[in-house]
């Protein structure tokens, strides 16, 4: 009995510690990150990285959505489901979307494969301790461009769960993400 129960208990304990502190799997429920991450893809999130460095522009992150995300959006926002978006603005940045492009501090910020936005908006300067996020599927993503009229469009760093590192399912789409 000890030869079976002890290894199972150790394996379960290790899995719990790994998911709590190091890496956690998630399933993507929406198309907000298309084409880089598809709906129902499964990803692994690095939960340690932001203990050693701040989020950087271009990182794909998983986070607990802010209260302002509970506005009518094209993607479901209920049930406490974490969101997956790309960091566009870091503290001190000025971000605006115009002429079908996203600009950070006056320079076009191009994400390969991102859907061209059909809306125009501008944000206040990104405050310290926060980031500004948009989905790669700019027009069909419940993100900062929807939240800004209903509260703060910024995500506190304390709400960030981690950085997306890998898409692992379906296996044919398995890849490391930049």
């Amino acid at each position: 009995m000890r030869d079976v129960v002890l290894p199972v208990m150790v394996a379960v304990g290790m899995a719990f510690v790994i998911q709590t502190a190091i890496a956690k799997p998630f399933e993507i429920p929406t198309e907000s990150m298309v084409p880089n991450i598809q709906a129902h893809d499964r990803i692994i999130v690095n939960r340690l990285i932001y203990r050693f460095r701040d989020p950087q522009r271009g990182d794909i992150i998983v986070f607990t959505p802010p209260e302002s995300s509970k506005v009518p959006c094209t993607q479901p926002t209920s049930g406490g489901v974490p969101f997956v978006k790309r960091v566009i603005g870091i503290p001190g940045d000025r971000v605006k979307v115009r002429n079908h492009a996203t600009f950070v501090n006056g320079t076009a910020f191009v994400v390969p494969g991102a859907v061209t936005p059909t809306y125009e908006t501008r944000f206040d300067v990104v405050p310290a301790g926060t980031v500004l996020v948009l989905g790669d599927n700019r027009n069909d993503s419940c993100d900062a461009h929807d939240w800004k009229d209903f509260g703060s469009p910024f995500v506190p760093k304390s709400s960030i769960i981690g950085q997306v590192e890998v898409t692992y399912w379906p296996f044919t789409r398995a890849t490391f993400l930049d």
Side-chain angles (χ1 to χ4, degrees):
M1 184 75 157
R2 186 177 69 194
D3 290 340
V4 174
V5 173
L6 185 60
V8 168
M9 287 176 49
V10 168
V12 168
M14 286 179 61
F16 178 75
V17 168
I18 288 170
Q19 282 199 26
T20 302
I22 300 172
K24 183 165 179 70
F26 288 92
E27 180 178 352
I28 304 305
T30 69
E31 295 182 350
S32 71
M33 289 298 291
V34 166
N36 294 308
I37 302 174
Q38 303 293 318
H40 309 294
D41 279 1
R42 293 205 169 90
I43 59 172
I44 297 288
V45 174
N46 178 342
R47 295 176 65 110
L48 288 176
I49 193 163
Y50 297 129
R51 292 180 190 203
F52 302 105
R53 71 165 176 87
D54 287 331
Q56 297 175 358
R57 197 176 303 111
D59 287 356
I60 300 173
I61 63 170
V62 173
F63 60 96
T64 304
E67 281 299 311
S68 54
S69 70
K70 294 181 174 55
V71 300
C73 287
T74 56
Q75 95 181 48
T77 60
S78 61
V81 175
F83 279 21
V84 176
K85 306 289 179 216
R86 187 176 300 274
V87 174
I88 302 297
I90 57 176
D93 283 348
R94 291 185 178 275
V95 178
K96 64 180 158 182
V97 179
R98 67 178 165 81
N99 299 327
H100 306 289
T102 304
F103 294 87
V104 178
N105 302 323
T107 303
F109 182 73
V110 178
V111 175
V115 175
T116 303
T118 57
Y119 59 86
E120 293 197 0
T121 191
R122 64 181 341 166
F123 301 95
D124 293 334
V125 174
V126 180
T130 69
V131 294
L132 184 128
V133 297
L134 297 174
D136 287 356
N137 189 355
R138 298 280 196 267
N139 303 312
D140 194 21
S141 176
C142 184
D143 56 30
H145 88 276
D146 291 311
W147 309 334
K148 71 186 216 94
D149 295 328
F150 297 91
S152 175
F154 306 109
V155 175
K157 288 181 185 175
S158 61
S159 296
I160 298 173
I161 296 168
Q163 179 180 344
V164 178
E165 297 287 347
V166 175
T167 300
Y168 70 92
W169 192 262
F171 188 70
T172 56
R173 292 189 29 78
T175 187
F176 288 94
L177 297 167
D178 292 332

